[in-house]
Amino acid sequence: MVDKPTSGSLFGIPYNFEQPSLKRMLSTYWQPGEGMLVEKPFGVGYTLNLASWRSWVVLAVAGALWWQGNQSAREAEFDDEDEEPVEVVVED
């Protein structure tokens, strides 16, 4: 039987299905000399490099958008409770 490669690149997208170790996980997410995106330690694609300030900006924007979405959902929930039923009259 032929051994399948556990890591490599397919159509320019990296993949790695080797057993992840703690050292490899930590070294992947913190690479000071690299750009904002680095190859994932396990799986397919890229992940954020937490040594890059740009990654922290992306996380801050994503967190702010998530918080804003939760706040607007809560406000909509409270607004629905205050409204009274509306009567609709349809004439033929």
Side-chain angles (χ1 to χ4, degrees):
M1 203 162 214
V2 178
D3 289 334
K4 295 180 182 179
T6 57
S7 65
S9 179
L10 184 63
F11 301 116
I13 299 174
Y15 66 90
N16 189 351
F17 294 111
E18 296 173 1
Q19 182 73 23
S21 66
L22 183 60
K23 181 180 176 183
R24 192 175 80 193
M25 296 283 281
L26 293 176
S27 67
T28 298
Y29 290 109
W30 191 266
Q31 296 182 14
E34 298 295 321
M36 185 175 85
L37 295 175
V38 292
E39 294 180 8
K40 281 186 161 188
F42 183 78
V44 178
Y46 296 94
T47 188
L48 291 176
N49 178 11
L50 297 178
S52 172
W53 63 271
R54 290 177 185 95
S55 298
W56 290 102
V57 171
V58 168
L59 289 173
V61 168
L65 290 173
W66 176 78
W67 181 78
Q68 183 182 14
N70 279 348
Q71 288 298 101
S72 62
R74 287 182 187 152
E75 288 174 4
E77 206 175 275
F78 289 123
D79 289 344
D80 290 343
E81 293 174 358
D82 295 339
E83 293 180 8
E84 295 179 16
V86 178
E87 183 179 336
V88 177
V89 177
V90 179
E91 295 179 13
D92 288 329

